[in-house]
Amino acid sequence: MKKMLSVLLASAMAISAVGSLAACGGGGGDSKKTITVWAPSASHKVYQELAAEFTSTYQDGKYKDYTITFVAKEETTVRDDLATNPAGGADLYFFEGGQLVDMVKNNLLQPLAGTYASYATDVKARDEKTWVDLATSNNNVYAFPATADNTWFMWYDSEYFTNADDLKSLDAMVAKAKADNKQIMFKYNDGWYLISFFFGAGCTIDYDEEGNYKNDFGGANGKKAVKALLDYLAPANNLCKDGKTKCIVTPADNDSIPQGMKNDTVVAGFMGTWIESAMPSKAKAMRTPTITIDGQQKSMRTFQTAKYCGVNPRRDNKDVAMALADFLTNEKGQAKRFEGTGSVPTNTNTAATDAVKNSAMATVIAAQSTDSYPQLKHPSDMYKKLEAFGNNIVSGVITEDNYGAQAEKLQADLIATAATT
């Protein structure tokens, strides 16, 4: 009897679990009383605690009958994941600021206007103006600022690099790593990383007052940037002592740097806060080293922007989703996320606390931001064209003989982006 009871109980639990999964994916359950949130997995514990408080106490339990479900979704993929089925997306989602222009254009964000105008007033009063302005279009705020740490920097093996001088320049790091057949990971075929060479060379990219997408990547400085990257990746310069291992390589995914450092094959890598929890204790973070461009040491300048929480305008529960988005990103919400994940807040009060100012991640990001390039409202096509350019370097399409003409073509291709934006 006990055995039969156990079997029946196990079966009931399995059915319950399946039902929960169906509701999570939008395929079952009472969707009218379920709010789905797309958020990076590292933030789930914090946000689940806040969500429990929201349903139990917000406005005297106004939303106590709602179930809030969190689905793991990286902030960098939200725009593309919504492209094919916007209405099938979550009720609210966390995303990185570089996606804002496309998301506003494609009606993927409910503006904080009209019925929701009070939320815009609150955001303007509590968050850094830079990040509020980035989320503003046609005088409407379209998302709640959540974190100010959307940039990247350098992670290095502190047991391998024990001399601070070796960390000052990429050249010194490569020289040491090559001698020991070690690798340094850099996503040179990803526009968000590749662009650091152009910024380091002194190039700019942005819209002018007439809405034209301006850049000088095909000019003298842009050509110097491409030549520098070609030099770093040239077999004669990039092969390790064993004659077969490449020193500078592109990581296959976010786990490549942590895993490589754990097995002692990777001694440094360029990425952001999102890999912190996976890194071994010997991994330390610091601002990027200098790179050689046209014989001079230049800063490896990175993009920097915020991450946001937005509400899906195509879902029915916008009132609840808006209240929840506000609750998760207010002063308390940002303080809780900082405590749980180390994410640097956009909230002015939270950012001013000693805990934030003295944190290792905030210190590194502050150092990186001294000459970072503001990541404004760039369209997705810009990143795709830079990615294609990087892949052409990797595949050998761009060479020592044609890199100047290829840089000029890149500039023209990017300017043409304005026609589709």
Side-chain angles (χ1 to χ4, degrees):
M1 177 62 74
K2 287 183 178 180
K3 182 176 181 180
M4 178 61 70
L5 187 60
S6 297
V7 170
L8 291 172
L9 182 59
S11 299
M13 291 175 67
I15 292 171
S16 176
V18 170
S20 297
L21 287 171
C24 176
D30 185 3
S31 61
K32 292 184 179 180
K33 290 291 186 179
T34 299
I35 301 296
T36 303
V37 183
W38 283 354
S41 56
S43 68
H44 280 199
K45 184 176 185 297
V46 169
Y47 285 148
Q48 285 167 347
E49 292 174 358
L50 286 166
E53 182 179 339
F54 174 81
T55 54
S56 62
T57 67
Y58 185 83
Q59 293 189 0
D60 297 323
K62 181 178 180 179
Y63 300 122
K64 61 182 176 61
D65 294 331
Y66 280 82
T67 298
I68 299 173
T69 302
F70 289 84
V71 176
K73 182 77 67 176
E74 291 304 313
E75 288 141 321
T76 55
T77 69
V78 170
R79 171 185 56 200
D80 294 337
D81 290 341
L82 289 170
T84 55
N85 184 19
D91 294 282
L92 61 151
Y93 20 71
F94 287 83
F95 63 96
E96 59 90 15
Q99 302 175 38
L100 264 159
V101 65
D102 290 326
M103 293 182 73
V104 170
K105 173 186 173 183
N106 293 306
N107 191 30
L108 299 175
L109 294 170
Q110 175 65 44
L112 280 57
T115 305
Y116 307 119
S118 62
Y119 292 113
T121 301
D122 292 343
V123 163
K124 291 175 182 178
R126 74 195 189 200
D127 289 291
E128 294 283 353
K129 185 176 184 299
T130 298
W131 309 127
V132 178
D133 288 347
L134 180 59
T136 302
S137 179
N138 297 321
N139 297 319
N140 287 328
V141 179
Y142 277 85
F144 297 85
T147 77
D149 52 12
N150 196 34
T151 189
W152 52 271
F153 39 84
M154 183 171 75
W155 291 94
Y156 70 96
D157 185 334
S158 62
E159 294 178 359
Y160 180 78
F161 288 108
T162 57
N163 186 339
D165 288 339
D166 288 335
L167 294 167
K168 291 180 179 179
S169 72
L170 183 59
D171 302 70
M173 294 177 66
V174 167
K176 178 175 173 58
K178 282 170 58 178
D180 297 323
N181 302 315
K182 302 293 186 180
Q183 293 185 315
I184 295 170
M185 290 191 162
F186 174 65
K187 277 192 172 184
Y188 46 79
N189 61 341
D190 183 315
W192 202 48
Y193 296 85
L194 168 67
I195 206 167
S196 61
F197 272 71
F198 288 99
F199 291 156
C203 294
T204 59
I205 184 168
D206 202 359
Y207 291 96
D208 63 16
E209 293 181 358
E210 287 73 41
N212 300 309
Y213 201 45
K214 308 288 284 187
N215 77 93
D216 54 0
F217 287 11
N221 287 337
K223 292 173 183 177
K224 291 176 183 177
V226 180
K227 179 63 165 62
L229 191 55
L230 284 172
D231 287 344
Y232 274 111
L233 299 178
N237 300 328
N238 198 35
L239 277 183
C240 292
K241 185 179 180 180
D242 62 10
K244 58 182 180 181
T245 303
K246 291 182 179 179
C247 182
I248 301 177
V249 296
T250 184
D253 51 42
N254 288 351
D255 191 52
S256 297
I257 295 174
Q259 191 57 48
M261 208 168 284
K262 288 173 184 176
N263 63 28
D264 295 323
T265 59
V266 173
V267 293
F270 298 89
M271 207 163 274
T273 58
W274 51 93
I275 62 172
E276 181 183 14
S277 61
M279 296 296 276
S281 59
K282 65 180 180 178
K284 305 299 179 186
M286 64 176 287
R287 68 151 299 150
T288 54
T290 61
I291 50 178
T292 300
I293 297 179
D294 194 31
Q296 299 181 332
Q297 291 300 300
K298 299 289 187 178
S299 295
M300 202 174 188
R301 298 181 62 195
T302 62
F303 264 140
Q304 183 173 7
T305 187
K307 294 176 182 175
Y308 294 86
C309 184
V311 171
N312 191 336
R314 293 178 170 87
R315 303 282 285 183
D316 293 333
N317 289 316
K318 289 191 289 291
D319 290 354
V320 189
M322 193 68 71
L324 177 61
D326 176 67
F327 192 82
L328 296 178
T329 61
N330 64 17
E331 181 176 345
K332 179 178 180 179
Q334 291 198 26
K336 289 276 287 184
R337 179 161 174 174
F338 167 73
E339 291 168 6
T341 68
S343 297
V344 180
T346 60
N347 182 278
T348 53
N349 291 339
T350 308
T353 62
D354 289 340
V356 172
K357 289 189 293 186
N358 295 331
S359 76
M361 282 294 97
T363 300
V364 170
I365 290 168
Q368 191 67 47
S369 68
T370 56
D371 61 358
S372 63
Y373 198 93
Q375 186 181 6
L376 302 175
K377 303 169 185 178
H378 300 290
S380 60
D381 278 352
M382 183 271 280
Y383 296 99
K384 291 175 183 177
K385 288 174 180 178
L386 282 173
E387 179 182 354
F389 190 83
N391 283 329
N392 282 340
I393 290 177
V394 176
S395 65
V397 172
I398 299 174
T399 67
E400 293 280 346
D401 295 327
N402 68 13
Y403 74 86
Q406 290 287 332
E408 292 172 4
K409 182 179 182 299
L410 174 63
Q411 176 173 325
D413 287 346
L414 291 170
I415 290 173
T417 299
T420 59
T421 300

